[in-house]
Amino acid sequence: MRILVTGGAGYIGSHLVDHLLGQGYEVVVLDNLSTGKIANIAPHLENPRFRFVNDTVLNEALVEELTRSSTLVYHLAAAVGVRHIVADPLNAVLTNVRGTELILHSAYKYWRKVVLASTSEIYGKAQKVPFEETDDRVLGATEIHRWSYSTAKAVDEHLAFAYADKGLPVAIVRYFNSYGERLDPRGYGSVIATFIRQALAGEPITVHGDGQQTRCFTYISDTIQGTVLAGESRAGEGQVFNIGSPVEIAIGELARLVKRLTGSASPIVTISYEAVYGPGFEDTRRRLPSIGRAQRVLGYSPKVSLEDGLKRTIAWWQEHSRP
Ligand code: UDP
């Protein structure tokens, strides 16, 4: 069985590739290394069951060929990270909508199952928590670039459901703040990466706003568990699943936890959203998944506590990201 992983050189994609190769599958990665890194897949480059294609999901003929020659597609290639989106909104919308359209179009043509990676950003600034897959989405104005990511991924989900209506086996996973080994060492685009980098460098740990905003951080092995279950489960086809930890933490508290676990002397400082993202930025105040559906249908069960996951991530960081 040959599996195509788009975005397979990225942070989540490369962990998925490790898992699939470990299970004995053949794996093809399509990644243009925009945010993915060759280092993430370097250990597999000589593996005869592995092939890396350095190209974009916007290459229609290539997407068609790779989809045709695979039995299952995990579509993770996307422009991701709020900061990237805000910095290059046009690329984000085009990649995230057009790329998924091409993948689903090919998958339908050759009748291949697709697992679509989506995001908790889908829920926007909805205030009812925990977020259920069936909940309303609450977004800000289109003038605020942040919401383009949520909107593009929602279009992707609509496309997936539209193909599912035509009988195509598709499952959608909405990731909630995944973290772990291989988070970008520049600390770009994820609060855990940023805090660990700052703490280890002895720089101030920068909490945005009042630090009371919350997230549910999900260790990478639990993210992969949910993704693979969605790929394997027949019952999950035609459905969307929250994949995340149900344990909520405020960002201010996360800063203190990272400081303690790294033994850092860094001060914890607060900084306004405006200073970081420019005027008009809107944050999500609380983000908490309901994982009942994933538990019930997929048998999903996140296992790794935030403290254990952070310890592993910090250890990896200390080993890999010295300048
Ligand atoms: N954040 C922060 N300091 C940082 C980076 C992020 O306080 O240096 C906050 C950010 O404003 C948000 C939360 O941490 O409230 C999570 O941010 P991230 O970009 O990791 O993911 P999001 O959940 O917003 O997509």
Side-chain angles (χ1 to χ4, degrees):
M1 187 166 164
R2 183 182 300 149
I3 299 180
L4 173 61
V5 181
T6 74
Y11 152 65
I12 296 178
S14 64
H15 283 278
L16 177 61
V17 168
D18 293 349
H19 174 88
L20 295 172
L21 286 170
Q23 297 290 300
Y25 296 114
E26 275 184 53
V27 176
V28 179
V29 163
L30 174 62
D31 197 304
N32 67 352
L33 302 179
S34 56
T35 50
K37 292 189 201 68
I38 200 79
N40 288 344
I41 49 169
H44 306 308
L45 291 173
E46 303 298 317
N47 185 334
R49 284 189 289 112
F50 179 76
R51 179 179 165 212
F52 170 54
V53 181
N54 183 351
D55 211 316
T56 164
V57 281
L58 301 179
N59 182 338
E60 192 167 352
L62 180 65
V63 161
E64 192 163 323
E65 162 56 22
L66 295 180
T67 305
R68 190 188 56 75
S69 56
S70 303
T71 39
L72 169 64
V73 181
Y74 288 95
H75 178 45
L76 279 72
V80 287
V82 169
R83 251 175 128 136
H84 287 121
I85 305 305
V86 173
D88 191 355
L90 181 60
N91 177 50
V93 175
L94 293 181
T95 306
N96 293 346
V97 175
R98 181 85 181 122
T100 301
E101 193 188 326
L102 291 177
I103 291 284
L104 288 169
H105 178 80
S106 295
Y108 186 63
K109 188 165 173 182
Y110 299 108
W111 213 253
R112 304 292 188 244
K113 176 167 178 173
V114 177
V115 176
L116 171 68
S118 186
T119 169
S120 53
E121 277 280 311
I122 284 283
Y123 299 100
K125 52 184 176 177
Q127 290 187 3
K128 174 194 157 288
V129 287
F131 298 157
E132 310 250 358
E133 289 87 347
T134 47
D135 281 346
D136 288 346
R137 307 173 52 227
V138 183
L139 303 185
T142 49
E143 290 172 357
I144 297 168
H145 288 317
R146 183 208 179 112
W147 303 120
S148 73
Y149 182 52
S150 176
T151 303
K153 281 292 183 180
V155 172
D156 291 351
E157 292 197 10
H158 278 298
L159 278 169
F161 283 125
Y163 278 105
D165 267 6
K166 288 166 159 288
L168 187 72
V170 205
I172 304 167
V173 284
R174 289 181 182 160
Y175 295 137
F176 281 69
N177 291 79
S178 181
Y179 73 98
E181 293 87 335
R182 301 183 200 145
L183 273 181
D184 189 337
R186 288 165 300 171
Y188 196 59
S190 145
V191 65
I192 286 186
T194 305
F195 283 180
I196 294 177
R197 188 188 60 70
Q198 291 169 334
L200 292 178
E203 294 171 12
I205 300 176
T206 53
V207 172
H208 299 165
D210 63 6
Q212 293 302 305
Q213 70 274 30
T214 71
R215 295 293 186 270
C216 292
F217 294 99
T218 311
Y219 186 63
I220 184 66
S221 56
D222 289 328
T223 306
I224 298 304
Q225 182 206 143
T227 308
V228 169
L229 286 169
E232 291 169 349
S233 163
R234 293 295 303 272
E237 290 168 6
Q239 293 195 59
V240 55
F241 300 96
N242 290 336
I243 297 299
S245 153
V247 181
E248 189 179 19
I249 185 171
I251 298 301
E253 198 185 330
L254 174 73
R256 289 189 288 278
L257 182 58
V258 169
K259 180 174 156 106
R260 174 166 68 78
L261 294 177
T262 51
S264 170
S266 292
I268 296 174
V269 299
T270 55
I271 171 168
S272 73
Y273 286 108
E274 188 154 278
V276 184
Y277 298 106
F281 183 80
E282 293 180 85
D283 198 14
T284 302
R285 205 59 192 157
R286 286 182 75 190
R287 179 182 287 158
L288 176 64
S290 159
I291 57 169
R293 181 186 283 182
Q295 283 173 319
R296 224 171 32 250
V297 179
L298 302 178
Y300 176 62
S301 158
K303 305 247 185 291
V304 182
S305 72
L306 180 59
E307 184 153 339
D308 282 351
L310 280 175
K311 283 182 187 159
R312 295 184 209 178
T313 308
I314 291 164
W316 177 85
W317 208 279
Q318 286 170 320
E319 204 169 312
H320 287 85
S321 56
R322 293 223 173 75

